[in-house]
Amino acid sequence: MSIQAGGFLSKVIGVFARSKVTPLIIVFSMFIGFLAVVNLPREEEPQISVPMFDIFVSYPGASAEEVERRIVNVGERKLWEISGVEYIYSMTQSEGTLITVRFRVGEDVEKSLIKLYTKVYANLDLLAKEGLFL
């Protein structure tokens, strides 16, 4: 496909280049753009609420594999039952674990903490069987 000297695109460009309406269209477009920028809502530091909580569980004398099998696997299953939980991260080492529970963006921090607290303390019997401490 070759470009012809008198092709459609060159004719359209020629019409706009010679037209007296073109500067008016440019000024109008700039004015609309300015209005859009001025009226666009924005914040320098938006307040985004992402509730995250850490749960530390101590299991003295246990290996990392045992902590994962007895605490993390059971705990994560129970924590996923909480409404609003988006992610659960866990880090296991010998003699304990750290479980981080992250709720969805915009969830109320206090309500999320209450849901988490209620779930953890409703399942303390699982930890008590093992003789563990929170």
Side-chain angles (χ1 to χ4, degrees):
M1 183 169 163
S2 64
I3 299 176
Q4 299 174 355
F8 174 74
L9 188 58
S10 62
K11 288 180 183 179
V12 171
I13 292 172
V15 168
F16 277 99
R18 289 184 296 275
S19 174
K20 294 183 181 185
V21 178
T22 303
L24 183 62
I25 293 172
I26 292 172
V27 170
F28 180 74
S29 298
M30 290 175 64
F31 178 71
I32 295 295
F34 176 75
L35 285 178
V37 168
V38 169
N39 292 322
L40 185 68
R42 60 192 171 277
E43 281 188 48
E44 189 172 318
E45 297 177 24
Q47 302 300 315
I48 299 172
S49 173
V50 183
M52 288 180 62
F53 304 101
D54 293 329
I55 303 169
F56 298 96
V57 181
S58 176
Y59 193 168
S63 67
E65 293 80 17
E66 188 175 9
V67 171
E68 182 178 4
R69 186 172 38 82
R70 291 187 175 197
I71 305 301
V72 174
N73 292 342
V74 174
E76 284 184 356
R77 269 187 261 125
K78 291 294 182 183
L79 294 172
W80 276 115
E81 294 173 1
I82 301 171
S83 64
V85 171
E86 187 172 29
Y87 295 105
I88 297 177
Y89 310 98
S90 59
M91 183 184 74
T92 305
Q93 60 185 21
S94 60
E95 301 193 358
T97 186
L98 166 68
I99 300 173
T100 303
V101 180
R102 190 177 114 188
F103 287 81
R104 282 190 220 108
V105 174
E107 290 278 329
D108 184 67
V109 176
E110 291 178 8
K111 289 180 182 177
S112 299
L113 180 59
I114 290 169
K115 289 190 275 188
L116 180 64
Y117 181 88
T118 304
K119 180 58 81 172
V120 168
Y121 280 91
N123 291 286
L124 276 181
D125 58 330
L126 297 173
L127 299 178
K129 290 177 188 174
E130 303 293 334
L132 305 176
F133 308 98
L134 279 176

